[in-house]
Amino acid sequence: MDKNILVIAGSSDIVLESVRLLLDKDFNIYATSRADINLEHDNLHKYTLDVCDLESFNRLCDKLSDINFDAIIYAAGCAVASPVENLNEDELRRQLDVNLFGLLRTLKFFSKNLNRGARIINISSMAAYGFFPFLSPYCLSKASSDILLRAFSVESGTKCISIRPGAIKTKFWQRSIDDNKNNFDNFSDKYRSIGEFMLRNAEKNSVCALEPLYAAKAVCKAVCARNPKHVITVGNDALLCSFASRFLPDSLLNSLIKLALRIKKR
């Protein structure tokens, strides 16, 4: 029997690598994106989808109504950066619309199209552990999407897996810089040096972070393994966040984060 996978946001670097691995295992991939998906294969079927647009979901659902899926991979995402005191409410809504409500729409539209034993994979982030000040909208969106998925898993009995990568070398960093040009004005004199550090760090990660293949292998494992973990971390930085969230008290964590930011400001 054919194995079918629905991919939401199939043009991202991590997902493209994941799709290549899954195509090698003879899955049929139904990949959606707002941008062009730069990959061709007989088993790859490409569609347009804007996760913030209900009509876009309706059109896609009509096209795929006769297909049942063995896995859904949700990878749509954006990152909003700002100090909390200067955070624009519309920017927070934009953040949640893509990372959280897009996942909710996917569940509502396609959960009825799941085969028995199917699973849902959310490309989350180590930001879900909530350790990154000035990226609180992004942390909030990733943590809440994982919580939403966990609740759906308990309620429906569907296997759900959150992939939590650390820094991965993808186009996401430069796109986030471009998306936040106006938000960087929120880093007033009070936070100017931290904003400058975040820019430098994003530029560095775009060329020096972990290769996307490492995260793609985790996605493939989540799809193919008989009993994958509910949370799969990728990279030493993500493992460190996981350890800290489990074993370090909040007061110590906050002190370490403040110390790290003071070091970076010098």
Side-chain angles (χ1 to χ4, degrees):
M1 184 176 69
D2 289 341
K3 296 282 189 177
N4 302 317
I5 300 177
L6 174 63
V7 176
I8 308 296
S11 63
S12 70
D13 294 306
I14 290 174
V15 174
L16 277 175
E17 290 294 334
S18 304
V19 166
R20 289 188 179 97
L21 294 177
L22 293 166
L23 287 170
D24 287 342
K25 296 180 178 294
D26 294 325
F27 284 96
N28 294 312
I29 308 294
Y30 297 82
T32 72
S33 179
R34 290 189 306 169
D36 291 336
I37 299 173
N38 189 24
L39 185 62
E40 299 294 335
H41 193 282
D42 288 344
N43 288 350
L44 175 61
H45 314 278
K46 296 185 281 190
Y47 301 87
T48 300
L49 177 68
D50 180 348
V51 299
C52 299
D53 183 358
L54 285 176
E55 283 305 312
S56 186
F57 268 102
N58 277 319
R59 290 191 294 270
L60 179 66
C61 197
D62 288 342
K63 293 175 182 177
L64 301 180
S65 59
D66 295 331
I67 301 171
N68 289 330
F69 297 103
D70 299 280
I72 296 176
I73 301 171
Y74 187 84
C78 65
V80 170
S82 175
V84 171
E85 65 190 79
N86 298 329
L87 178 60
N88 182 284
E89 290 185 12
D90 288 337
E91 281 294 275
L92 179 58
R93 291 188 186 96
R94 178 174 72 91
Q95 176 75 90
L96 295 175
D97 203 17
V98 176
N99 292 19
L100 176 62
F101 289 102
L103 174 61
L104 175 61
R105 293 173 189 121
T106 300
L107 296 175
K108 289 168 73 72
F109 274 87
F110 290 105
S111 59
K112 62 183 180 297
N113 292 76
L114 296 176
N115 285 324
R116 183 175 182 180
R119 54 196 60 178
I120 297 173
I121 297 100
N122 183 36
I123 308 299
S124 185
S125 168
M126 66 177 178
Y129 295 110
F131 296 157
F132 301 98
F134 307 100
L135 282 172
S136 60
Y138 185 60
C139 295
L140 172 65
S141 70
K142 289 302 186 180
S144 57
S145 66
D146 282 352
I147 291 170
L148 182 77
L149 199 63
R150 182 174 181 177
F152 175 77
S153 179
V154 173
E155 293 166 1
S156 67
T158 305
K159 183 75 173 180
C160 296
I161 304 102
S162 293
I163 309 294
R164 293 184 179 176
I168 304 292
K169 184 170 67 176
T170 69
K171 297 187 293 291
F172 184 77
W173 295 101
Q174 186 57 53
R175 191 170 76 243
S176 297
I177 292 172
D178 295 339
D179 284 349
N180 282 282
K181 283 182 178 178
N182 292 331
N183 289 328
F184 282 122
D185 291 338
N186 295 339
F187 290 80
S188 57
D189 290 343
K190 181 178 178 181
Y191 302 114
R192 183 69 61 191
S193 60
I194 294 173
E196 291 171 352
F197 161 71
M198 290 178 67
L199 274 172
R200 293 194 303 271
N201 192 59
E203 291 167 349
K204 181 189 75 173
N205 286 337
S206 69
V207 294
C208 298
L210 205 62
E211 292 291 335
L213 182 60
Y214 289 92
K217 288 180 178 178
V219 174
C220 194
K221 180 178 181 180
V223 171
C224 299
R226 178 171 295 182
N227 190 29
K229 295 179 180 178
H230 292 287
V231 175
I232 301 176
T233 56
V234 181
N236 291 333
D237 47 357
L239 287 172
L240 180 61
C241 286
S242 176
F243 173 86
S245 70
R246 293 174 62 189
F247 298 110
L248 297 185
D250 288 346
S251 57
L252 176 57
L253 273 174
N254 290 343
S255 296
L256 291 173
I257 292 168
K258 291 176 183 178
L259 176 62
L261 288 173
R262 283 202 297 272
I263 292 170
K264 298 301 182 183
K265 287 168 62 177
R266 292 174 184 170

